[in-house]
């Protein structure tokens, strides 16, 4: 059938994820840093995602698509609710101060270094940030310690393949970002990294990356 449905311009998409959060039917997902229409039958064509897009990457089109399936959407929501209860923590301990400098779980690992407030602010933190990663957390303000030395040793002594920093928008979280970037530089390795900044309302405000 020909019906009204969204279309996402991949070149305009900046990967902010706001459209995926705004889509109540979970028709949009984030894949390889870009928004994707996951299933035609999840899209009701109402366009709640359009005003959330800051780059104008989403528009309506009229095209051949299967009908919107409310029953399938509800079933998927039930599955997501069930899945969201599963922990993605893959190792222990998680506190930077307690973490070993060298351990098998670091080898060829994607490392997540998170400000400990971030998991409370961002509702789907396990699935969106922690899944398939080794997670280390800390608070430079409360711990009153420079994490860069410990993190440098971890990066030097293990074959970490990439590093993600999850921090809050508040100024004190700049400490954990600086510590990670300093450790990356001091490690002497070219390890890809990215920093994701989360608002106190649980939205992703900014992403930056490098190596």
């Amino acid at each position: 059938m020909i019906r009204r449905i969204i279309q996402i311009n991949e070149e305009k998409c900046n990967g902010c994820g706001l459209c995926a959060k705004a889509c109540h039917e979970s028709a949009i997902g984030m894949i390889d840093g870009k928004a994707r229409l996951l299933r035609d039958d999840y899209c009701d064509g109402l366009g709640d995602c359009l005003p959330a897009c800051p780059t104008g990457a989403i528009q309506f089109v009229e095209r051949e698509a299967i009908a919107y399936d409310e029953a399938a959407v509800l079933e998927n929501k039930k599955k997501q609710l069930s899945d969201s209860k599963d922990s993605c923590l893959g190792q222990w301990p998680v506190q930077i101060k307690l973490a070993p400098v060298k351990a098998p779980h670091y080898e060829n690992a994607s490392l997540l270094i998170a400000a400990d407030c971030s998991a409370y602010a961002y509702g789907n933190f396990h699935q969106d940030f922690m899944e398939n990663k080794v997670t280390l957390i800390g608070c430079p303000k409360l711990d009153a310690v420079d994490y860069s030395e410990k993190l440098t040793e971890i990066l030097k002594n293990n074959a970490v393949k990439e590093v993600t920093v999850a921090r809050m928008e508040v100024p004190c979280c700049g400490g954990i970002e600086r510590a990670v970037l300093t450790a990356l530089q001091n490690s002497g390795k070219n390890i890809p990294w990215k920093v994701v900044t989360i608002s106190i309302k649980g939205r992703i405000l900014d992403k930056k990356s490098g190596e």
Side-chain angles (χ1 to χ4, degrees):
M1 63 183 295
I2 302 295
R3 71 178 183 94
R4 179 180 165 97
I5 196 166
I6 66 160
Q7 178 174 283
I8 303 172
N9 185 323
E10 184 176 329
E11 292 184 359
K12 290 185 177 180
C13 176
N14 68 358
C16 69
L18 294 178
C19 58
K21 290 183 179 299
C23 180
H24 303 300
E25 289 73 30
S26 299
I28 301 174
M30 302 304 297
I31 301 175
D32 295 331
K34 296 287 186 177
R36 299 281 193 276
L37 177 60
L38 301 178
R39 285 178 49 161
D40 287 1
D41 58 340
Y42 284 0
C43 179
D44 59 9
L46 295 179
D48 290 338
C49 55
L50 269 71
C53 181
T55 63
I58 302 176
Q59 63 178 347
F60 281 122
V61 295
E62 297 280 339
R63 66 168 173 83
E64 182 72 30
I66 58 177
Y68 170 65
D69 189 340
E70 185 176 9
V73 169
L74 292 175
E75 184 62 30
N76 184 51
K77 285 184 177 180
K78 289 180 182 178
K79 182 180 184 299
Q80 287 184 333
L81 184 61
S82 174
D83 290 347
S84 67
K85 296 177 182 178
D86 295 334
S87 172
C88 293
L89 184 62
Q91 97 292 334
W92 191 265
V94 295
Q95 287 282 350
I96 297 173
K97 293 193 300 181
L98 302 177
V101 168
K102 186 171 179 60
H105 55 253
Y106 292 132
E107 292 303 309
N108 201 35
S110 297
L111 186 60
L112 171 67
I113 302 172
D116 50 14
C117 293
S118 57
Y120 292 94
Y122 190 90
N124 208 36
F125 195 82
H126 275 247
Q127 281 67 36
D128 289 357
F129 284 92
M130 292 172 57
E131 189 169 12
N132 299 320
K133 291 184 176 67
V134 170
T135 301
L136 298 177
I137 66 169
C139 176
K141 184 174 183 179
L142 295 181
D143 289 345
V145 63
D146 182 2
Y147 296 129
S148 62
E149 292 184 9
K150 178 73 168 286
L151 294 174
T152 297
E153 291 305 306
I154 290 173
L155 296 177
K156 278 185 175 181
N157 287 284
N158 303 276
V160 174
K161 66 180 182 181
E162 61 182 357
V163 176
T164 298
V165 180
R167 57 160 292 182
M168 299 297 296
E169 62 177 322
V170 294
C172 57
C173 260
I176 200 162
E177 178 179 342
R178 288 191 296 272
V180 173
L181 295 182
T182 299
L184 285 162
Q185 182 177 10
N186 292 343
S187 73
K189 298 180 179 180
N190 294 322
I191 302 173
W193 60 267
K194 64 180 176 180
V195 177
V196 182
T197 302
I198 300 168
S199 77
I200 58 175
K201 297 294 186 180
R203 293 188 174 276
I204 293 176
L205 296 178
D206 181 55
K207 293 180 180 180
K208 57 184 177 182
S209 59
E211 64 174 42

